[in-house]
Amino acid sequence: MEKEAAAQHAAEPADGAPGGAQPPDRTAACCHGGAKMAVLAYSLGKREINQHFTVKNAKSISLVVVILLVVFHTASRYYGGGDSCEWLLSRGRYLGENVWQPHGCMMHKYKSIEAEKCLAQKRVAFIGDSRIRQLFYSFIKIIDPGQREDGNKHKDISFEDESSSVHVDFLWHPEANNSMKDRLISWTYEGSAKPDVIILGAATWSIKLHSGSSEALQQYKANLTAIAVPLENLADHGEVYWVLQDPVNEEVLSDNRKMITNQQLDLYNEAAVDALNSSKRNSRSRVKLLVATRQAALQTISQSDDGLHLPESTRNVGATILMNSVCNKVLRPIDGSCCQMLPPPNFLQKMSACFFLGSAVVFLVLHVLGNNRHRRPVPPDVESLEEKKPTTAAVPLGQKAAFQALCRMGIIMGYFYLCDRADVFMKEQKFYTHSTFFIPLIYIFVLGVFYSENSKETKLLNREQTDEWKGWMQLVILIYHISGASAFIPVYMHVRVLVAAYLFQTGYGHFSFFWLKGDFGLYRVCQVLFRLNFLVLVLCVVMDRQYQFYYFVPLVTFWFVIIYATLALWPQILQKRANASGMWHLGVLAKLLALLLFICLFAYSQGFFESIFSVWPISKLFELHGSIHEWWFRWKLDRFAVIHGMLFAFIYLVLQKRQGLTEGKGEALFPAKISNLLLFLSVISFITYSIWASSCKNKTECNEMHPYISVVQILAFILIRNIPGYARSIYSSFFAWFGKISLELFICQYHIWLAADTKGILVLIPGNPTLNIMVSTFIFVCVAHEISLITNDLAQVVIPKDSMALLKRLGVVGFFTLVVLLLARGSKPMPDA
């Protein structure tokens, strides 16, 4: 928030304060004085905050915090021991009912086809008592959800999936004794069919049969010590898991199980840990201990029917943990960070690191040589690319400033890589509750009201208001993403309107610029395209992701090109030409009608749409994982939003030129009766849409209606916000500040606020979710703001105003892009015969 604006606001008298007149009574004087003091304290408070907490100071603090966090997490991994595989098996907590969160990593929910792919041609053996049998059934239900427990007790059970040749066996060995040892030793013989994965555990029968005697405990420990040797041998060829005993609900246990107490189970677990760990004195045991299910059972054992066997939801937690431990390293799901080794950097990632390091070297050389020509230009708005003219002559951006910007970008990209491509910081999965979405929403709107300022202009959708609009929408979308609110359909549908509103503003902003300025030059086109795409193109290389992965940027880029083509093609109709003859207005409407027909042609012919965008090399921009479907879905969902924005801009600018609106300070936009009628209809429309969105049953049906009715909510908001004169006269500088970096916020969230490509949440401060969100948000916002400035700096260097120089650079870029695409196409592996 600008200090000048705050100071100006503080100097203004309170609304309604009399100009020196004496108050009629002491009570009125007291009230007036109290109100005046409250306003003064409010203004001074904002000024103090803005003076001492500047953006520059915030970025310095965030840099120090990042360095400390990197050192802390690296030291914790190195000296504290443990990895995400150990965390998965040993620690965790419930986020909500039946939703288990391992410590510091994310669990993937495996589907049947994924489990079959991972376990194809493998043998899995479960060995133990009835509780291991329960775990066995939960495990095979992931492979075959239709599998039912057939009730076989005290017997071996075999499961086979013929399509994938997966074999899963349960072997009844209720005690850790010679019988279990002999079974394990038989698998160690040369030529025997060894299981690829072994899960075993036992103790309750030993306690039950021997009434919990100390002799039985000692025998159990001796047996496990003997069993540990073949287990270690089997672990050389596969994976071996020992399941620690889950607690029991002693009050519900039957009489013949009363001796199975939690105290006894703790003693047996301690004996198992000692015996298995002592088998490898000089190195770490390869037998993995499954402890997390015990932690989960501590919170759910009260739901057990017989006090011994776990409820199904807890057994499913154990099966999911095992599936993630076995399969994550094989299938590498993006939302399964537990027990997964990250791939090494590829060639392009290494080259980008070399490029940024080279830029740092050049910058240091220029710094030593004393090349100090540097001016940071005023950053323009991406939607219209307008900027304030500096009061003094601007010094051109020097070479040193350009390489300094690249150095800053390299440091930031290093942070991106550490957050979401390196095994440094932790990640956790999202979990939606109403409080995680609505409480932060209330906080930010209170802050938005706190930073209310007087607008410099009172036109409809003036610059400050559109920045405010983009800002609060972006903050809502961020909260929506981090809280996982897409699971709640009413919130999902309202956020869909916000995305449509962004595209509406795209149409409104670009149409207004072309209509008023008539600047269709190549320089402006390249400026807009560079500012929209620079960050995403860098991330595509550094984070090894396709362009379409950051779907919003391809979307707004596509629509900018469409808007440009629509208005730039002959005849170019500008406001100046339309003022001379009203017939030109019909020409604009004809162009918009042609654009509408173009949209409908694509929307109602998916085959035609896919055939166009699947053509090489265009397909490289719009394919995701080899399919055009994601682009089709995103494009179709808000296909009319841009043309709605263009049409609204046209009508508004025509009315404004013909003085059909009153946009003075404090004046209603229309005459009183019309204003009141439009306000009433807008409020009714707004509420009606919200009621409809809240009654949605599934996303598919509501998404079909969304393109046609989202404009109702958008127009209702615009009219409610702009018809009253007092509403146009104020804006939230808090929201407007975020609105100026809304594009960077939207893109940066993918990797440094969220995690695992938006599937999870980045954890910088483990063990304290609230503090973690505060710290990660602070760094995230500082990074987004800095990237906005870097993009502005580099745009001045990369996009020269001289047409010939610009064409030469475009030619060089086009040539290298074509070479890279041809090499990528040539290196594509041939399909199997």
Side-chain angles (χ1 to χ4, degrees), residues 202-223:
T204 56
W205 275 73
S206 297
I207 299 172
K208 177 182 176 181
L209 294 177
H210 302 92
S211 302
S213 65
S214 58
E215 292 81 5
L217 177 61
Q218 293 301 318
Q219 185 61 48
Y220 177 82
K221 188 171 184 179
N223 291 342

Side-chain angles (χ1 to χ4, degrees), residues 382 416 474 531 535 738-750 780 783-789 791-792:
V382 173
F416 271 76
Q474 184 57 62
R531 293 172 191 279
L535 174 58
F738 284 99
K740 292 173 183 176
I741 58 170
S742 59
L743 183 67
E744 288 78 13
L745 287 171
F746 188 88
I747 299 168
C748 290
Q749 66 168 323
Y750 278 66
F780 158 59
V783 168
H785 187 272
E786 184 64 16
I787 289 176
S788 176
L789 298 179
T791 305
N792 177 64

Side-chain angles (χ1 to χ4, degrees), residues 27-266:
T27 303
C30 177
C31 294
H32 169 69
K36 189 173 183 179
M37 289 299 293
V39 172
L40 183 62
Y42 163 79
S43 301
L44 290 175
K46 288 193 294 183
R47 183 168 61 180
E48 287 296 314
I49 293 172
N50 293 333
Q51 284 179 342
H52 294 95
F53 194 73
T54 64
V55 173
K56 184 177 180 180
N57 292 340
K59 290 177 182 177
S60 299
I61 294 170
S62 68
L63 178 60
V64 172
V65 171
V66 167
I67 293 171
L68 292 176
L69 287 171
V70 170
V71 171
F72 168 76
H73 281 272
T74 304
S76 298
R77 294 288 182 101
Y78 185 78
Y79 294 105
D83 54 24
S84 61
C85 214
E86 186 174 324
W87 296 339
L88 170 68
L89 297 172
S90 61
R91 301 167 64 184
R93 70 184 192 279
Y94 275 108
L95 295 177
E97 186 178 357
N98 304 333
V99 179
W100 182 253
Q101 171 60 64
H103 173 73
C105 64
M106 298 167 58
M107 280 202 313
H108 178 66
K109 188 174 182 181
Y110 276 90
K111 299 177 182 177
S112 174
I113 190 171
E114 294 173 316
E116 290 176 359
K117 183 178 179 181
C118 166
L119 300 173
Q121 308 295 326
K122 291 184 179 180
R123 301 186 67 92
V124 182
F126 286 79
I127 307 173
D129 53 17
S130 58
R131 299 215 276 191
I132 297 295
R133 184 178 65 231
Q134 284 187 310
L135 187 59
F136 158 79
Y137 275 117
S138 294
F139 188 86
I140 63 173
K141 283 180 181 178
I142 298 176
I143 305 169
D144 180 10
Q147 187 70 27
R148 300 178 62 182
E149 300 184 25
D150 56 15
N152 289 334
K153 296 183 178 180
H154 306 175
K155 293 181 180 179
D156 296 346
I157 305 171
S158 182
F159 166 83
E160 180 178 359
D161 183 84
E162 294 181 357
S163 61
S164 57
S165 298
V166 177
H167 298 269
V168 186
D169 296 311
F170 168 73
L171 305 175
W172 174 254
H173 288 281
E175 288 191 87
N177 54 19
N178 289 332
S179 174
M180 180 183 287
K181 184 178 71 172
D182 292 342
R183 171 75 72 167
L184 297 172
I185 291 175
S186 68
W187 286 332
T188 63
Y189 295 146
E190 190 71 27
S192 62
K194 300 178 179 64
D196 299 282
V197 182
I198 301 173
I199 300 102
L200 70 168
T204 56
W205 275 73
S206 297
I207 299 172
K208 177 182 176 181
L209 294 177
H210 302 92
S211 302
S213 65
S214 58
E215 292 81 5
L217 177 61
Q218 293 301 318
Q219 185 61 48
Y220 177 82
K221 188 171 184 179
N223 291 342
L224 271 187
T225 302
I227 287 174
V229 176
L231 284 179
E232 289 289 346
N233 292 333
L234 291 169
D236 290 336
H237 305 281
E239 299 182 55
V240 179
Y241 299 87
W242 181 270
V243 182
L244 292 188
Q245 293 300 301
D246 300 320
V248 295
N249 186 356
E250 297 178 15
E251 298 178 358
V252 185
L253 288 174
S254 59
D255 291 339
N256 64 338
R257 293 173 174 167
K258 286 294 185 183
M259 69 291 296
I260 307 174
T261 64
N262 288 316
Q263 183 179 6
Q264 282 286 324
L265 292 173
D266 288 340

